[in-house]
Amino acid sequence: MKRTMMSLIGVAVALAAVTGVAAVAAPDGGRDAPRGSSRLPVQRSALLCPAPTSSEVGETAYTAFAPKGAAAGADGKKGTAELRPAGTVRAAGDGAGGKGGKKGKGAADAAAGQTVAPRDTKPVVPLQEAGKPVIATTDKPDAPALVGSADGMFAPGWTVQQTTSVAAGAGRGLLGLSCTTPDTTFWFPGVSTATDRQDYVHLTNPDGVPAVVDLELHGKDGSLAGSAGEDISVPPHTTVPVLLSTLTTTPTTNASLHVVAREGRVGAAVQASDGKLGSDWLPPAADPAPGVVLPGIPKDATSVRLVALAPGESDADLKVQLATPTGLITPAGLESLHLKSGMTTAVDLKDLTKGEAGSLVLTPSDSDSKAPVTAALRVTRGKGAKQEMAFIPATRPVEKRATAADNRDHGSTLSLVAPEKGKDAKMKVTASAGSGGGTPVSKTYTVKGGRSLDVEPPRPQGLKGTYALTVEPEPGSGPVYAARMLARPQGGVPAFTVQPLPDDRGSVLVPAAGQDLSVLTD
């Protein structure tokens, strides 16, 4: 009897532990906490920034920020937030693991390549106080990837923006990326292995144990044959860049990349360079879902290409709508979109916005459909030889708060969209203090349900340097999605980059726990 009682107690404790961990680790599904649970700030967060550029004429700015008053430090401690250089795996002959553009033996080269330790390990953009950005710049063509973490008061909402300006060459343009969090799976619709593109996926391991990663490419006819993307080893605290065109013998203009870490975890981002359209980062899309939102198409977009995939076992039929400042409209000739399971579909939407900023909303044609989809947009501005491209992946809604760092006196546009009719969203937007000085300013915007709103965000009073924006839905708001565009012209080229602003997941729901001895009765 005693042994039986002890076994039951062990099972109960184990189940309670598993349930608690799952509840804390799970992403927020809504703004309302279940009964008996409480929302607490995270105590630790991690970010990874890929190597920015190999260009001799590139300059990169890193901007770090943590919202003020987000949380008290753990055990009364202030906490830390900093990034440090990572090592790099260089492939033999500068193939898939290098950045010279040569086609080597693909990921096999990267896996067998030499690990090069960083030249120094000095912290980059360490935070000393919340609510004020810290910036650092580099023009080194061999600037390393960065791996970092934040704890205590800096952990909730810690954000680092990596912005690179390349003045000339095939990769010219403005490249922007909000440094990514580590995970075990990522989707990148919109990659290419065509001859006019060089797309590298950067895999960065933040942990002290090796990670093993598989790369899967999907084209219009399904999986692109080849095993070169299997069993890629990413050593601890190291980054591995892989040229996607080395993974397949079939050049494909529109493809989707699936990154799966079978062991460990990694951060992942794709650097895309086009011979005519410049370059930018393609961040991972939100987890596949029956409906997705792609916010922040600029009003002067000259072309928009949608790339979508149904990664599950079922096909998906989608209703395609554009959320405009005046409501939801259906693009001419694209009332619906059929996605075959495992096959990438691309649709050229041309000058979709017709001079009005908007956001693309994809919903199931059948409300009962549960087939998950993932999608991204390639957007261009300009004409002829003076074009520039950027990417907008499907993104998560802003549940509690989202943050965009590296805003300057001019050139930022904030896009907000409330995709559901009749569900308005009221958003509080706060401009932080500047990195060199300035007083925070807040402003509230209302987005009507089924509409989008593009605004020039507020700026701090007496701004010096760069500042951050935080976006917070007010209680009772309907679902809302956000993106931020940076525009910094370069010699007649309308250089720009767009960063989606998903919820920062700076807090988690912690379920209430209590004793229930009834589980011990026969």
Side-chain angles (χ1 to χ4, degrees), residues 161 163 174 404-415 445 454-459 463 466-469 483-489 495-497 499 501:
Q161 168 79 12
T163 308
L174 189 67
D406 193 14
N407 300 280
R408 304 182 190 181
D409 193 32
H410 298 287
S412 293
T413 301
L414 179 64
S415 298
Y445 300 92
D454 268 29
V455 297
E456 184 177 343
R459 292 188 292 274
L463 170 64
T466 67
Y467 68 100
L469 290 170
R484 188 275 314 271
M485 182 180 80
L486 295 177
R488 297 173 188 167
F496 76 115
T497 180
Q499 280 74 59
L501 305 182

Side-chain angles (χ1 to χ4, degrees), residues 262-504:
R262 290 190 288 108
E263 297 179 20
R265 58 177 187 161
V266 295
V270 172
Q271 189 179 52
S273 179
D274 187 284
K276 296 180 180 179
L277 303 177
S279 60
D280 206 349
W281 289 100
L282 171 58
D287 291 339
V292 296
V293 177
L294 303 94
I297 306 172
K299 64 181 180 181
D300 60 350
T302 50
S303 71
V304 178
R305 176 182 294 172
L306 169 64
V307 181
L309 173 78
E313 297 180 355
S314 302
D315 294 357
D317 288 293
L318 300 173
K319 180 166 60 175
V320 181
Q321 293 178 298
L322 181 70
T324 73
T326 56
L328 290 167
I329 63 172
T330 300
L334 192 64
E335 292 78 12
S336 62
L337 181 66
H338 179 72
L339 302 180
K340 293 184 178 180
S341 173
M343 302 181 185
T344 298
T345 297
V347 181
D348 280 320
L349 303 175
K350 301 180 180 179
D351 56 340
L352 172 71
T353 57
K354 303 294 184 182
E356 283 190 328
S359 299
L360 203 64
V361 180
L362 306 179
T363 54
S365 298
D366 182 351
S367 59
D368 294 329
S369 175
K370 301 299 181 184
V373 300
T374 183
L377 298 172
R378 190 202 70 185
V379 179
T380 62
R381 298 171 70 220
K383 295 182 179 180
K386 296 186 180 299
Q387 294 185 74
E388 165 76 331
M389 71 175 182
F391 296 93
I392 302 174
T395 188
R396 301 192 309 270
V398 182
E399 300 285 354
K400 288 293 181 181
R401 183 187 59 221
T403 303
D406 193 14
N407 300 280
R408 304 182 190 181
D409 193 32
H410 298 287
S412 293
T413 301
L414 179 64
S415 298
L416 305 170
V417 57
E420 297 186 20
K421 288 184 178 180
K423 294 185 178 181
D424 299 353
K426 185 173 287 189
M427 309 294 293
K428 178 185 176 183
V429 179
T430 301
S432 75
S435 57
T439 305
V441 173
S442 295
K443 190 173 181 179
T444 300
Y445 300 92
T446 298
V447 188
K448 296 291 186 181
R451 300 185 184 185
S452 65
L453 176 67
D454 268 29
V455 297
E456 184 177 343
R459 292 188 292 274
Q461 293 180 355
L463 170 64
K464 293 181 180 179
T466 67
Y467 68 100
L469 290 170
T470 54
V471 179
E472 300 170 281
E474 294 194 354
S477 290
V480 64
Y481 298 74
R484 188 275 314 271
M485 182 180 80
L486 295 177
R488 297 173 188 167
Q490 299 177 348
V493 176
F496 76 115
T497 180
V498 179
Q499 280 74 59
L501 305 182
D503 191 88
D504 64 17

Side-chain angles (χ1 to χ4, degrees), residues 215-243:
L215 303 178
E216 306 166 358
L217 284 168
H218 297 262
K220 63 182 180 63
D221 297 318
S223 178
L224 298 178
S227 59
E230 297 178 355
D231 298 323
I232 300 174
S233 178
V234 186
H237 309 298
T238 300
T239 191
V240 176
V242 180
L243 181 60

Side-chain angles (χ1 to χ4, degrees), residues 32-91:
D32 296 325
R35 179 181 299 177
S37 64
S38 58
R39 184 176 290 276
L40 298 177
V42 298
Q43 291 297 307
R44 187 174 179 85
S45 56
L47 290 176
L48 304 102
C49 307
T53 180
S54 60
S55 173
E56 297 284 348
V57 290
E59 182 172 329
T60 298
Y62 298 98
T63 307
F65 178 78
K68 191 173 184 178
D75 300 325
K77 296 181 180 179
K78 181 178 179 180
T80 59
E82 63 183 26
L83 296 155
R84 292 183 182 271
T88 303
V89 171
R90 298 291 188 188

